[in-house]
Amino acid sequence: MKRFLKLITMEMEEAFRAAGYDEAYAKVSLSNRPDLCEYQCNGALVAAKAYKKAPIMIAKDVTAHLQESAVFSYAEAVNPGFINLKAAPGFTAEFLNEMAGAENLGVEKETKPKTIMIDYGGPNVAKPLHVGHLRSAIIGESVKRIVRFKGNQVIGDIHLGDWGYQMGLIITELEKRKPELPYFQEDYEGEYPQEAPFTIGELEEIYPTASAYAKENEEYREKALQATFLLQSGRRGYRAIWQHIMQVSVADLKKNYSVLNVDFDLWKGEADVQKYIPDMVHMLKEKGFARYDEGALVVDVAEEDDNKAVPPCMILKSDGAALYDTTDLATLIERESLYKPDQIIYVVDKRQELHFVQVFRCAKKTGIVRPEVDLKYLGFGTMNGKDGKPFKTREGGVMRLENLLREITEEMRKKIMDNRTVTGEEAEATARTVGLAAVKYGDLSNQASKDYIFDVDRFTSFEGNTGPYILYTIVRIKSILNKYQESGGSMDALRIREPESDCEKALMLETAKFNEVIDTVYEEIAPHKLCAYIYDAANAFNKFYHDTRILAEEDEEKKAGYLALLKLTKEVLEVCIDLLGFEAPERM
Ligand code: ARG
């Protein structure tokens, strides 16, 4: 379905042509004087030079052709040559009725759908999830839903950090505690136990203990490094422990992510791609891309016009160990061979930007990915506490995701109980739903690349640009629609009518922007623009609600028209929050 602004612009083009001017000047935009008009066209000012004519004359010629327009109810030339416009009520209502009946509320799907992979989440197995992982999950999930909504084939991959030093640490600590286990008997040839020798709770304690100990004890650290090396070289007992760590952690991660309403199509990780490394290294050497630099194997990726030095991509350390660069390159080999993506979007902390510059350049230069593959890095900023420093707990440690959500949910539960609309179990569930929205909206409403301040009081507020405010608005609309139906009203065949008041018109024009906004959000991969839009739409609705007697309206047709508009507004808001990755409760 065509965009509202596009239809308006087409009408303006027609008028420019009819008046004898080039339609290229007929660009229409939102008015920056909303007190005077809804839209404006400044084309006459631009055309003046080409036609050697006063802009106001051109504007008047054009508006003369718009007086009978079905699209504009008002078109006036004002000095020095602006054209001020208002959309015709009938045209606006028709547009919304068409939108209400259209597939995806008028958002068009890609004509040539692409295969897009999203690399997000990126938790490190057996290490606690921290707020950086939270941001990746929240932003990545929203990006995934947005590109999918536009009809692309989208594959979300969690890309687990499951092959590093933390594994060696856990193995070492476990051996220290339970040396009798068969995993540590080198000559053991039997089957290993099915069940892991630890629970998730124990695992969560083992890692930090081992990590801290390794920092003070050189010998222990050496052992952990050696264990990492042996694991990576395939030692049976260590592989078996690794399997246990994976089982236990992945089950726990799945639980965590489902609480966040985040789900991945692929649960692949660094370990999965180790098998591609030997051939890749061989290729890089044989084709002359790689060179040795002080024993390490590297690929140069600096370019002439770099204004900051871009160091070489590190393929193998001097001891032969693979690195972060290596794994990401190997992952690209696998992605190319299994999924042939048109685009890969990496949603990762912006402090890793250089790493991705190196990896992308290396992958392109060496032909690991086809030249046409669009490798995109969506780097996000840091979530800070109120003190402006990276978010910490009250005790000063890194905030665990669960605790953070618990804190927010508790805050929400108090507020919801104060409202007294829901009680007991429902309050619990509602607090979780609203709490999640508070966290996600608080994050997504900022441009991803920027740092932001995590402010529990502000995020959980029912007022202002917050998740709870948006949900509250949706709940309010739902409740009006429910009351209408309970009193015998039918939602079938309702039609939106011509607006009569300014606030009704304003709500309609806001709603009409939907498909355009979605396209912009999609093209720019900018969930924060979706937040800005729903905030405007929610404000427009609430203004309408306060100024209008909706259910008390005596004229039944008029009332039906209001309800049709409410229904559409609700649908728009619901699609938007779904694209942001959260949902609205029934009551709150
Ligand atoms: N596990 C990494 C970390 O915690 C993030 C992984 C990001 N994705 C990637 N393909 N490198 O920093």
Side-chain angles (χ1 to χ4, degrees), residues 119 122 124 133 159 324 328 346 348 352 356:
D119 181 313
N124 298 317
H133 295 121
H159 197 74
Y324 194 36
D328 265 320
Y346 292 79
V348 186
Q352 294 192 22
F356 286 100

Coordinates of all heavy atoms in Angstrom, one line a residue, residues 119 122 124 133 159 324 328 346 348 352 356, ligand 1:
D119 N 23.6 -11.9 14.0 CA 24.5 -12.5 15.0 C 24.4 -11.7 16.2 O 24.8 -10.5 16.3 CB 26.0 -12.4 14.4 CG 27.1 -13.0 15.3 OD1 27.0 -12.7 16.5 OD2 27.9 -13.7 14.8
G122 N 25.4 -13.6 21.8 CA 26.8 -13.8 22.0 C 27.2 -14.0 23.5 O 28.3 -13.6 23.9
N124 N 28.8 -15.9 26.7 CA 29.9 -16.8 26.9 C 29.5 -17.9 27.8 O 29.1 -17.6 29.0 CB 31.1 -16.0 27.4 CG 31.5 -15.0 26.4 OD1 31.6 -15.2 25.2 ND2 31.8 -13.8 26.9
H133 N 25.5 -8.2 27.2 CA 24.8 -9.3 26.5 C 23.3 -9.0 26.5 O 22.6 -9.3 25.6 CB 25.0 -10.6 27.2 CG 26.4 -11.1 27.2 ND1 27.2 -11.3 28.3 CD2 27.3 -11.3 26.1 CE1 28.4 -11.7 27.9 NE2 28.5 -11.7 26.6
H159 N 25.5 -17.4 18.4 CA 27.0 -17.4 18.4 C 27.6 -17.4 19.8 O 28.2 -16.4 20.2 CB 27.5 -16.2 17.6 CG 29.0 -16.4 17.2 ND1 29.4 -17.2 16.2 CD2 30.1 -15.8 17.7 CE1 30.7 -17.2 16.1 NE2 31.2 -16.4 17.0
Y324 N 40.2 -14.9 18.4 CA 38.8 -14.4 18.1 C 38.6 -14.1 16.6 O 37.6 -14.4 16.1 CB 38.7 -13.1 19.0 CG 37.2 -12.6 19.1 CD1 36.1 -13.5 19.2 CD2 37.0 -11.2 19.2 CE1 34.9 -13.0 19.4 CE2 35.7 -10.7 19.4 CZ 34.6 -11.6 19.4 OH 33.4 -11.1 19.6
D328 N 35.9 -16.0 14.1 CA 34.9 -15.2 13.3 C 35.0 -15.5 11.8 O 34.0 -15.5 11.1 CB 34.9 -13.7 13.6 CG 33.8 -13.4 14.7 OD1 32.7 -14.0 14.6 OD2 34.1 -12.6 15.6
Y346 N 25.8 -7.9 12.6 CA 26.4 -8.3 13.9 C 26.0 -7.3 14.9 O 26.4 -6.1 14.8 CB 28.0 -8.3 13.8 CG 28.5 -9.4 12.9 CD1 28.6 -9.3 11.6 CD2 29.1 -10.5 13.5 CE1 29.1 -10.3 10.8 CE2 29.7 -11.5 12.7 CZ 29.6 -11.4 11.4 OH 30.2 -12.4 10.6
V348 N 26.8 -6.2 18.2 CA 27.9 -6.4 19.2 C 28.4 -5.1 19.8 O 28.3 -4.1 19.1 CB 29.1 -7.2 18.6 CG1 30.1 -7.5 19.7 CG2 28.7 -8.4 17.9
Q352 N 34.0 -3.4 20.1 CA 34.6 -4.4 19.3 C 34.7 -4.0 17.8 O 34.9 -4.8 16.9 CB 33.8 -5.7 19.4 CG 33.9 -6.3 20.8 CD 33.4 -7.7 20.9 OE1 33.3 -8.5 19.9 NE2 33.0 -8.2 22.1
F356 N 35.8 -6.1 14.1 CA 34.9 -6.4 12.9 C 35.4 -5.8 11.7 O 35.3 -6.3 10.6 CB 33.5 -6.1 13.3 CG 32.8 -7.1 14.2 CD1 32.7 -6.8 15.5 CD2 32.4 -8.3 13.7 CE1 32.2 -7.8 16.4 CE2 31.9 -9.3 14.5 CZ 31.8 -9.0 15.9
Ligands
ARG1 N1 31.0 -13.7 23.0 C1 31.4 -12.4 22.6 C2 31.6 -11.5 23.8 O1 31.0 -11.8 24.8 C3 30.5 -11.8 21.6 C4 30.3 -12.4 20.3 C5 29.9 -11.5 19.2 N2 29.7 -12.2 17.9 C6 30.7 -12.5 17.1 N3 30.5 -13.0 16.0 N4 32.0 -12.2 17.4 O2 32.2 -10.5 23.7

